[in-house]
């Protein structure tokens, strides 16, 4: 199905312009790649931006060790097909080296531990720009981001001291030790991403489509059952037909009951949704400012 929505062409052109600005202004940029729809869209846009040459950025995956198996399989196939370099930052390695302390308890997650692993990878590989798939419609903290988001020498973000971006003029100047996060699809919505994926026939992991899975009902969402999920007293493991609107650590990513097995059905389902895509992310429910607090510390 081809969409005749002119705004998708405008969003694509804007994102490609931003990606080319990154290439022009920075020495060692990478794409933050989670295997989710947004980072896949960024990678596709980078492919278009520099075609027929290869994507000039490596992909950086911060691996929690608690992944959807489908995502890792998809990641490896994509890297091979594109011929790009993959950098993996391991949260498990950060734990083993004593860089971070693993959470304990029924609500334990490795999500917050990613920050240290990410900052270590940025320092180790001398990365001066990390390109992310964040969008302003996702969450109130992300709505505060500029396209070019400056980070200090400690990787921290100051939402009250961001640089102005007038007439699409991006300021990538930095001091030694500082870096930038860049968000080329900041102005996109979830619907835009799905319509673009459908229009461009972009391949995505199977978890985005309805499939049978063992799940546990928790906080009004279906958490996938895995070796990493601690079952609470009274909780029951059931088999449901679910899909996932957003992707993260398998211990915090809740699914929704769905029968959408095609991209067109997913688009229709998103159009009818009355809850944000991150409404089923347990990490965002820890506090009202959970995302902003993590971003200030150096999170994506």
């Amino acid at each position: 199905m081809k969409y005749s929505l002119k705004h998708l062409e405008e969003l694509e052109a804007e994102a490609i312009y931003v990606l080319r600005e990154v290439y022009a202004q920075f020495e060692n940029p990478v794409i933050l790649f989670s295997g989710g729809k947004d980072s896949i869209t960024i990678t596709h846009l980078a492919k278009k931006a520099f075609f027929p040459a290869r994507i000039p950025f490596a992909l950086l995956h911060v691996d929690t060790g608690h992944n959807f198996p489908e995502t890792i399989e998809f990641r490896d196939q994509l890297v091979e097909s594109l011929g790009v370099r993959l950098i993996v930052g391991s949260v498990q390695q950060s734990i083993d080296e004593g860089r971070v302390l693993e959470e304990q308890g029924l609500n334990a997650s490795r999500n917050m531990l990613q920050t240290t692993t990410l900052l270590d990878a940025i320092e180790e590989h001398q990365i001066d720009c990390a390109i992310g798939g964040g969008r302003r419609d996702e969450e109130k903290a992300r709505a505060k981001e500029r396209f070019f988001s400056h980070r200090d020498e400690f990787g921290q973000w100051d939402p009250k001291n961001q640089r102005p971006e007038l007439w699409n003029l991006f300021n990538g100047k930095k001091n030694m030790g500082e870096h930038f996060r860049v968000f080329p699809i900041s102005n996109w919505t979830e619907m835009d991403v799905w319509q673009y994926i459908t229009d461009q026939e972009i391949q995505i992991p199977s978890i985005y489509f309805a499939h049978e899975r063992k799940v546990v009902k928790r906080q009004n969402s279906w958490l996938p059952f895995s070796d990493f999920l601690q079952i609470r007293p009274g909780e029951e493991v059931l088999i449901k037909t679910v899909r996932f609107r957003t992707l993260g650590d398998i211990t915090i990513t809740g699914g929704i009951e769905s029968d959408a097995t095609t991209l067109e059905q997913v688009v229709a389902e998103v159009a009818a949704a009355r809850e944000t895509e991150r409404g089923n992310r347990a990490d965002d429910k820890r506090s009202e400012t959970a995302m902003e607090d993590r971003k200030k510390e150096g999170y994506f």
Side-chain angles (χ1 to χ4, degrees), residues 11-159:
L11 289 171
E12 179 190 69
E14 179 182 62
I16 287 176
Y17 171 74
V18 173
L19 287 165
R20 288 172 176 168
E21 279 294 300
V22 168
Y23 184 67
Q25 294 195 40
F26 298 99
E27 295 181 1
N28 188 27
V30 298
I31 295 175
L32 295 174
F33 190 83
S34 67
K37 67 184 185 306
D38 297 315
S39 62
I40 292 170
T41 298
I42 291 289
T43 305
H44 178 82
L45 287 163
K47 180 180 177 181
K48 295 191 75 171
F50 300 101
F51 185 83
R54 290 184 178 180
I55 297 173
F57 315 129
L59 303 187
L60 170 57
H61 178 213
V62 179
D63 182 3
T64 66
H66 294 173
N67 302 292
F68 287 90
E70 300 95 325
T71 305
I72 298 301
E73 180 182 354
F74 180 90
R75 180 201 69 184
D76 293 342
Q77 290 175 351
L78 182 66
V79 166
E80 183 178 359
S81 67
L82 293 175
V84 297
R85 184 165 67 103
L86 174 66
I87 300 170
V88 178
S90 169
V91 172
Q92 183 62 57
Q93 182 177 336
S94 297
I95 295 171
D96 294 342
E97 294 176 351
R99 296 282 293 149
V100 293
L101 183 64
E102 183 150 28
E103 293 183 0
Q104 302 296 320
L106 292 175
N107 293 314
S109 165
R110 289 186 171 183
N111 198 56
M112 293 185 68
L113 309 186
Q114 294 179 83
T115 299
T116 298
T117 305
L118 171 61
L119 295 177
D120 285 349
I122 287 173
E123 182 175 359
E124 177 185 352
H125 296 278
Q126 298 184 318
I127 295 164
D128 57 357
C129 175
I131 306 164
R135 308 186 323 269
R136 294 187 181 120
D137 76 315
E138 287 183 275
E139 202 272 343
K140 56 188 177 183
R142 289 187 170 175
K144 299 178 182 180
E145 286 280 19
R146 300 286 197 268
F147 280 99
F148 275 37
S149 180
H150 175 263
R151 304 298 170 104
D152 66 19
E153 63 269 32
F154 301 105
Q156 296 177 326
W157 172 66
D158 183 359

Side-chain angles (χ1 to χ4, degrees), residues 1-5 8 191 194-202 262-268:
M1 178 179 179
K2 291 288 184 179
Y3 287 92
S4 59
L5 300 178
L8 287 181
M191 177 62 82
W194 280 117
Q195 289 180 330
Y196 186 75
I197 288 172
T198 304
D199 181 73
Q200 298 287 305
E201 299 180 350
I202 300 172
T262 67
L263 286 171
E264 288 78 13
Q265 290 173 338
V266 169
V267 169

Side-chain angles (χ1 to χ4, degrees), residues 196-264:
Y196 186 75
I197 288 172
T198 304
D199 181 73
Q200 298 287 305
E201 299 180 350
I202 300 172
Q203 296 297 310
I204 56 175
S206 59
I207 62 172
Y208 280 113
F209 300 108
H211 60 286
E212 285 193 347
R213 198 179 203 103
K214 291 182 178 180
V215 292
V216 176
K217 188 65 173 291
R218 185 180 295 177
Q219 292 184 313
N220 295 320
S221 65
W222 294 105
L223 287 181
F225 176 73
S226 70
D227 294 338
F228 314 114
L229 184 67
Q230 297 188 47
I231 305 299
R232 298 174 178 176
E235 289 184 333
E236 185 179 2
V237 179
L238 303 172
I239 296 178
K240 293 285 184 179
T241 301
V242 299
R243 75 174 193 86
F244 298 90
R245 292 176 65 187
T246 182
L247 182 69
D249 189 297
I250 196 171
T251 63
I252 58 171
T253 304
I256 59 171
E257 291 190 69
S258 172
D259 57 4
T261 57
T262 67
L263 286 171
E264 288 78 13

Side-chain angles (χ1 to χ4, degrees), residues 265-284:
Q265 290 173 338
V266 169
V267 169
E269 189 174 86
V270 171
R274 292 297 177 264
E275 187 178 39
T276 65
E277 63 188 294
R278 293 188 69 93
N280 288 319
R281 288 287 291 268
D283 51 328
D284 288 350

